Amino acid sequence: MTSEHSAHSDAYSAFTAGLDFSLDEFQSRACTAIDADHSVLVAAPTGAGKTIVAEYAIHVAMRQANAKVFYTAPMKALSNQKFTELTERYGADSVGLLTGDTNINPRARIVVMTTEVLRNMLYADSDLLPNLAFVVLDEVHYLADRFRGAVWEEVIIHLPEKVRLISLSATVSNAEEFGDWIQTVRGDTEVIVSEDRPVPLDQHVMIQGDLVELFAGGGAADRVNPELVRLAKYGGRAPTSKRDRHIRQRGRGVHRIRREEVVRLLDGHQLLPAIYFIFSRAGCDGAVEQVLRSGLRLTDKDERMLIREFAEERCRNIPDRDRSILGYWSWLDALQRGVAAHHAGMLPVFKEVVEELYRRRLLRVVFATETLSLGINMPARTVVLEKLEKFNGESRVRITPGEYTQLTGRAGRRGIDVEGHSVICWQDGLEPGAVGSLASKRSYPLTSSFRPTYNMAVNLIAQFGRIRTREILESSFAQFQADRAVLSLARTVREQEESLEGYAESMACDRGDFADYARLRRELTDLERKSTHVQSMSRAKRDKRQKRVSELQKRMRQHPCHGCPDRESHARWAERWWRLRRETDQLKRQIASRTNAVAAVFDRVTDVLSELDYVRADPDGEPTLTDDGHVLSRVYGERDLLVSECLRNGLWDQLDGASLAAMVSCLLFEPKRESSEYAQQYLPRGPFRKALTETTQVWMVLDDLEERHRLNRSEPPSTGLAPAIHMWARGEELDRVLVEADLSAGDFVRWCRQIIDLLDQISGIAAPEISTTSRSAIDAVRRGIVAYASV
């Protein structure tokens, strides 16, 4: 045993000695892989204890002299939560936080950050990177997110080779494939998959005011409970009479239980605390109101006092005027009864109070949207699903088995519960078999959403040049998956080519070329099939068609194969050959489109950048960045090129701080489908309107350019939030601004923080005047509820 391995073994012994539980087999395997100086990918169910592996990596790093650890999370809420936990363990001096709008102790040994922050550091070759030993990618399955997923691939590809990755993922069905890719781009990587829930899940359906097991045989996911099938069929009782059957046929279905009744029933069965998933913000708020109106109280006097003291302490900076606008008093009343909502429309500090009170076991029920299932540490005894469908932005769709697994993963608190419980609220139209199938599958594939962006292209060209960049992009998970698909397609093509050879032999005719004869037959058949449309043709077209038919008939009669006694047998084989040939050619086209697909998009992106003079060829023909290209390299986000074009053309130079903030909102805001844009007269006056017109014209030019180069086009700038942001930045009161914005407080804060982030980028790259304006805009937006601390 080497001295290094011995030291790691000592680290393992010291780490496990500090735990009050034994490590599971998958956790122990992952720690051993870290001792062996390998990267690890750990895929395990929610609540299984994946973060223990990350904690061990931090433990190992802290035993070394100068080693550093970056802990990345996909959301600021998760970063804040992890920062708090690590600070409690290692002390404030050892832990830092970087989330774009928060910068705390960035030179600490352990730094928690969002994944985007790390990506930006890699492109900027940050001076925080030396001595980096481990990077933890928590919730790495976010790589599949179509808007942000590419960031995870960029980080994995560009991290220094010596840095070891600790990748933590929900259970995905293709973890081995993902691990194979990490192995390809980063070297020694151990893939560790666990599908065992640490706390077994008992699955129920709430029907006719009672809980019924979903599966027969003690919860084993193999056969739907016959009692559930009977209840679903007859509305909770067997049809004992013609009248019963008649009532059922008239559509009088299963009674739908009220939300407060559900909570009372769970409380009576000792199944609280619970997370009650409702796929609607308004539904979550409405559920809290219903519970309040019912008079239900789930806490005792001492708990109510603790809840009030904690909430008032965390919200002490909110002025009384704003508290009324934000619904603070009804929110506090619900908290004291042990009930709360949790969704993206809430003020961040309200959500954080809910999360902390729930972790302290002072809240009994949280009505939440599905965002709560994404990594936040809030385990429950029971998870309730009010419906099995949700609105995806376009239509109502059934949740997937992967989403069901993610949602119910919250059920069962390790070390507290013997078993977790999931409860599906029955509704008419559900089929027990379909529900059982949903709850028993564990299919959750990880699919890359990677695509080259303008910012990515200029950063890669600056560091590696065009040829090396194409090689890097070809090493992306997107191309890895495409290549694997190509391998499968190529195998199919080879098999079909062999079949084609066999078909060709079977249709061979000793009198001549039967393939040529079959081609004539096929063309004639196609023309005859189109004869039904002959009346709609012009006379000239009909004459031309008839002439071709006569010509084909003559050539067929003259063909040597026409008189073959086995002609029809040969023809049947020829028809199979033609069908398979067409299918094989289509597969070949698919292969051609997938091979080097990512690099091909990069080439088109680079062509756009060259046309706009962000990239220019040097004397050797190698692309290099212009001054404008270097500016673009520091603009991150969907609108990177549009922002750069507006800055270099001076379109925003005459704007004041409030108008610049409003302009930035036009580039970021994504309105709901039914919302309308503001007419010109309602927009901020002065230079803003001229700047908006010019910005929109630049967008139109870029849109045409992208269409010409076969790139994904973007949406036009949206003015939907501009008046409200302008009012807010000019100091208007919160109530008027929220009415103008037609947004919840939480959504308004979220958009403001995105605006601040882009303004901060502009302040670092723009000319001095507009840089100063950007900083004043940041100060104007970051006030009131936007400034309330989250950490």
Side-chain angles (χ1 to χ4, degrees):
M1 181 182 294
T2 65
S3 59
E4 183 182 10
H5 186 74
S6 176
H8 285 169
S9 296
D10 291 343
Y12 182 82
S13 299
F15 180 74
T16 53
L19 302 175
D20 55 5
F21 56 89
S22 299
L23 294 186
D24 290 341
E25 190 267 342
F26 84 91
Q27 295 167 327
S28 181
R29 279 181 57 204
C31 293
T32 301
I34 291 171
D35 279 346
D37 207 28
H38 293 174
S39 295
V40 293
L41 166 64
V42 180
T46 301
K50 296 185 291 291
T51 54
I52 282 289
V53 181
E55 290 167 12
Y56 181 64
I58 294 171
H59 173 80
V60 169
M62 294 301 281
R63 289 170 63 94
Q64 300 170 9
N66 298 305
K68 294 165 65 175
V69 180
F70 288 170
Y71 194 112
T72 76
M75 296 184 293
K76 292 177 182 178
L78 295 181
S79 298
N80 295 342
Q81 187 179 98
K82 186 53 63 175
F83 170 74
T84 301
E85 292 173 4
L86 291 171
T87 299
E88 290 173 357
R89 179 168 302 180
Y90 291 100
D93 291 343
S94 296
V95 185
L97 177 67
L98 295 172
T99 60
D101 56 4
T102 304
N103 187 324
I104 301 172
N105 199 16
R107 298 193 176 278
R109 296 274 305 278
I110 308 164
V111 184
V112 182
M113 61 187 69
T114 55
T115 318
E116 280 85 354
V117 168
L118 177 54
R119 185 271 311 273
N120 299 351
M121 289 170 62
L122 291 169
Y123 280 152
D125 195 22
S126 169
D127 62 357
L128 300 178
L129 294 171
N131 298 319
L132 183 60
F134 295 99
V135 165
V136 178
L137 295 179
D138 201 356
E139 308 286 334
V140 73
H141 50 273
Y142 258 83
L143 181 142
D145 184 88
R146 69 189 181 100
F147 296 110
R148 301 172 57 210
V151 175
W152 275 260
E153 290 192 49
E154 291 176 80
V155 165
I156 292 169
I157 291 170
H158 296 304
L159 272 174
E161 189 176 343
K162 64 180 179 59
V163 177
R164 283 166 286 170
L165 273 183
I166 312 298
S167 304
L168 309 179
S169 171
T171 304
V172 293
S173 52
N174 60 336
E176 287 80 6
E177 178 189 41
F178 184 48
D180 288 348
W181 171 67
I182 297 178
Q183 170 90 23
T184 300
V185 295
R186 300 212 55 82
D188 292 333
T189 300
E190 184 106 11
V191 179
I192 298 165
V193 178
S194 174
E195 296 189 7
D196 296 330
R197 285 179 53 98
V199 180
L201 182 66
D202 199 0
Q203 306 188 76
H204 316 269
V205 173
M206 185 167 289
I207 185 170
Q208 291 296 337
D210 201 2
L211 295 179
V212 178
E213 295 284 350
L214 174 56
F215 296 107
D222 53 4
R223 187 167 66 91
V224 174
N225 187 353
E227 175 67 8
L228 174 62
V229 176
R230 186 186 69 81
L231 287 170
K233 186 175 182 180
Y234 298 118
R237 61 189 186 279
T240 57
S241 68
K242 290 183 179 179
R243 180 176 179 276
D244 283 339
R245 285 193 290 271
H246 181 60
I247 290 172
R248 181 61 183 168
Q249 289 163 2
R250 283 168 49 197
R252 187 169 163 182
V254 177
H255 167 64
R256 180 177 172 185
I257 193 167
R258 293 171 59 84
R259 289 159 176 163
E260 64 271 22
E261 293 172 354
V262 174
V263 174
R264 281 196 172 95
L265 185 63
L266 296 176
D267 191 27
H269 284 75
Q270 285 78 50
L271 293 179
L272 298 181
I275 297 175
Y276 195 127
F277 284 110
I278 302 173
F279 301 128
S280 152
R281 298 178 184 182
C284 293
D285 293 335
V288 173
E289 291 174 9
Q290 289 168 18
V291 171
L292 291 181
R293 285 198 303 268
S294 74
L296 185 63
R297 193 184 300 277
L298 302 170
T299 54
D300 61 30
K301 182 179 178 181
D302 291 339
E303 290 170 331
R304 290 194 289 276
M305 185 180 68
L306 290 172
I307 289 169
R308 187 179 189 92
E309 287 177 354
F310 180 78
E312 289 185 338
E313 169 61 25
R314 289 299 306 273
C315 298
R316 66 185 185 280
N317 293 328
I318 303 178
D320 287 343
R321 174 184 170 83
D322 286 356
R323 291 188 185 202
S324 299
I325 297 164
L326 297 170
Y328 172 84
W329 303 111
S330 60
W331 171 74
L332 182 60
D333 182 26
L335 289 180
Q336 291 179 99
R337 293 175 184 237
V339 179
H342 187 288
H343 56 73
M346 293 171 61
L347 196 65
V349 69
F350 283 13
K351 284 197 297 181
E352 290 161 14
V353 167
V354 170
E355 292 161 14
E356 183 58 31
L357 289 174
Y358 192 86
R359 282 194 291 272
R360 295 186 183 188
R361 304 179 198 171
L362 291 171
L363 294 184
R364 301 293 187 267
V365 181
V366 173
F367 296 97
T369 56
E370 69 268 32
T371 54
L372 190 93
S373 69
L374 300 174
I376 298 173
N377 180 26
M378 286 180 63
R381 176 169 294 176
T382 304
V383 163
V384 180
L385 300 183
E386 182 165 273
K387 294 183 179 179
L388 296 181
E389 60 178 26
K390 64 177 184 177
F391 186 69
N392 67 357
E394 297 179 358
S395 61
R396 299 206 70 81
V397 296
R398 187 65 67 92
I399 64 172
T400 66
E403 288 170 330
Y404 180 88
T405 302
Q406 188 82 356
L407 293 165
T408 57
R410 295 277 159 212
R413 299 164 299 174
R414 189 169 189 170
I416 302 172
D417 298 321
V418 176
E419 60 191 9
H421 299 265
S422 69
V423 175
I424 297 169
C425 295
W426 188 264
Q427 291 185 321
D428 283 337
L430 289 181
E431 291 292 335
V435 175
S437 176
L438 174 74
S440 60
K441 290 181 180 176
R442 293 294 179 265
S443 174
Y444 189 69
L446 189 62
T447 304
S448 172
S449 60
F450 184 86
R451 61 179 178 83
T453 64
Y454 297 111
N455 171 275
M456 185 193 304
V458 292
N459 274 294
L460 292 177
I461 288 171
Q463 289 192 43
F464 305 109
R466 186 165 186 161
I467 295 175
R468 173 65 181 137
T469 292
R470 291 182 97 261
E471 294 173 355
I472 289 171
L473 294 175
E474 286 169 2
S475 69
S476 67
F477 187 45
Q479 191 60 56
F480 185 82
Q481 288 190 308
D483 289 344
R484 285 207 163 184
V486 163
L487 289 175
S488 175
L489 291 174
R491 189 181 307 114
T492 302
V493 167
R494 284 196 302 273
E495 293 169 354
Q496 292 186 179
E497 293 281 11
E498 292 174 3
S499 298
L500 285 168
E501 291 177 10
Y503 292 172
E505 290 178 10
S506 297
M507 74 175 178
C509 179
D510 57 5
R511 298 195 178 194
D513 184 354
F514 201 89
D516 181 56
Y517 179 73
R519 181 181 58 78
L520 296 174
R521 278 179 60 132
R522 172 171 284 275
E523 186 178 351
L524 181 61
T525 300
D526 289 344
L527 282 172
E528 289 173 344
R529 282 176 181 162
K530 294 175 183 176
S531 62
T532 54
H533 304 291
V534 71
Q535 297 302 323
S536 62
M537 293 182 186
S538 65
R539 183 181 181 87
K541 283 188 175 181
R542 286 201 303 271
D543 291 345
K544 183 178 180 181
R545 176 191 161 282
Q546 187 56 48
K547 182 180 178 181
R548 180 59 178 164
V549 167
S550 299
E551 179 186 337
L552 288 170
Q553 289 172 339
K554 180 180 178 180
R555 288 178 61 184
M556 280 180 58
R557 287 193 298 269
Q558 293 175 347
H559 199 286
C561 294
H562 189 66
C564 177
D566 297 323
R567 183 184 69 194
E568 293 310 309
S569 174
H570 295 327
R572 284 192 292 273
W573 284 108
E575 184 61 28
R576 293 176 188 173
W577 186 93
W578 278 109
R579 282 201 301 265
L580 192 59
R581 177 79 273 165
R582 186 173 61 240
E583 183 181 326
T584 304
D585 289 343
Q586 186 177 357
L587 288 176
K588 286 181 176 180
R589 286 192 293 272
Q590 286 185 41
I591 290 172
S593 68
R594 295 187 184 193
T595 304
N596 302 321
V598 177
V601 174
F602 164 75
D603 287 339
R604 297 199 291 273
V605 167
T606 305
D607 290 342
V608 169
L609 293 171
S610 298
E611 195 165 328
L612 294 173
D613 200 36
Y614 286 93
V615 172
R616 195 181 294 166
D618 66 14
D620 296 325
E622 181 68 19
T624 57
L625 301 192
T626 63
D627 290 342
D628 292 323
H630 284 290
V631 170
L632 176 58
S633 72
R634 296 168 63 190
V635 182
Y636 302 98
E638 291 287 313
R639 301 287 195 172
D640 47 9
L641 188 57
L642 180 56
V643 171
S644 299
E645 281 289 279
C646 291
L647 289 177
R648 80 165 169 178
N649 289 300
L651 304 188
W652 303 338
D653 289 356
Q654 303 306 312
L655 300 179
D656 61 15
S659 295
L660 181 59
M663 180 61 65
V664 166
S665 80
C666 295
L667 304 190
L668 296 173
F669 185 60
E670 298 169 2
K672 296 177 181 177
R673 289 187 307 165
E674 65 272 15
S675 64
S676 58
E677 296 295 276
Y678 276 88
Q680 185 81 2
Q681 65 264 30
Y682 297 110
L683 295 173
R685 299 183 181 277
F688 176 87
R689 298 183 184 184
K690 178 174 182 287
L692 177 63
T693 299
E694 292 174 340
T695 298
T696 303
Q697 289 171 345
V698 169
W699 169 81
M700 293 170 65
V701 170
L702 294 180
D703 189 58
D704 290 342
L705 191 59
E706 288 171 330
E707 182 180 26
R708 198 161 68 244
H709 286 276
R710 294 177 293 121
L711 291 169
N712 291 335
R713 299 159 68 186
S714 61
E715 294 295 318
S718 170
T719 59
L721 192 57
I725 292 297
H726 191 260
M727 290 169 59
W728 179 251
R730 288 173 62 86
E732 189 59 72
E733 294 291 346
L734 176 64
D735 53 349
R736 283 201 58 198
V737 172
L738 291 181
V739 170
E740 181 68 36
D742 191 25
L743 291 174
S744 68
D747 284 330
F748 180 72
V749 169
R750 179 167 58 87
W751 287 117
C752 283
R753 287 181 170 177
Q754 290 186 40
I755 290 166
I756 288 169
D757 183 52
L758 183 50
L759 286 169
D760 188 50
Q761 293 180 42
I762 291 171
S763 72
I765 58 177
E769 262 189 50
I770 196 166
S771 178
T772 301
T773 305
S774 296
R775 288 193 290 273
S776 71
I778 290 171
D779 292 338
V781 175
R782 188 186 281 146
R783 69 176 183 88
I785 62 170
V786 180
Y788 298 153
S790 293
V791 179

